[in-house]
Amino acid sequence: MAALTAAAVGAGRAEEPLEAVDLAILAVPPAKLATTLAQAQKSGLARAYTDVASVKTHLMADIVDMGCDLTSFAGGHPMAGGERSGLLAARANLFEGRAWILSPTPQLRSRPDRPSRASSRCAARIRS
């Protein structure tokens, strides 16, 4: 349902990709991030992952506890949005021209090209 709604407003696609995508942006409630990341990594959804949650301390502990691959995840905080939140606030140009703060794990720092290489697909300016 969420994927269909996002696709309807031009903020994503509802179909599963045929092969791994460059970057998966996980836009889920913070309490679901670790589980969603673990499932996405297990399925081989993408080569790199980031999220849209702001605070990372507890999320990173959950991600580590779930055994996620930290070499393909950079916590993200896009400086975008407005007074509305949730799925119905999605729009295709949400990230255009906006700064996107990345918090790479030490494991990812040796591979900094992963999230930044794919960032141009959503027209964000990456800051780490």
Side-chain angles (χ1 to χ4, degrees), residues 35-87:
T35 303
T36 302
L37 177 60
Q39 291 170 345
Q41 287 179 334
K42 184 176 181 181
S43 73
L45 176 66
R47 289 180 267 291
Y49 301 85
T50 190
D51 71 305
V52 298
S54 58
V55 179
K56 299 290 178 240
T57 304
H58 297 293
L59 294 177
M60 288 308 298
D62 293 344
I63 287 168
V64 169
D65 289 347
M66 290 291 298
C68 294
D69 174 12
L70 300 179
T71 66
S72 67
F73 177 75
H77 184 123
M79 307 312 262
E83 68 284 353
R84 297 182 324 159
S85 64
L87 178 60

Side-chain angles (χ1 to χ4, degrees), residues 2-24:
L4 292 173
T5 303
V9 297
R13 295 189 181 134
E15 69 274 359
E16 292 286 326
L18 298 176
E19 59 186 62
V21 298
D22 290 333
L23 178 67

Side-chain angles (χ1 to χ4, degrees), residues 47 69 71-72 104-116:
R47 289 180 267 291
D69 174 12
T71 66
S72 67
T105 62
Q107 295 87 339
L108 181 63
R109 288 189 196 281
S110 64
R111 305 176 85 168
D113 63 308
R114 281 187 159 194
S116 61

Side-chain angles (χ1 to χ4, degrees), residues 5-12 87-97 121-124:
T5 303
V9 297
L87 178 60
L88 296 178
R91 60 185 191 275
N93 65 347
L94 181 63
F95 304 122
E96 286 181 11
R121 298 197 185 276
C122 58

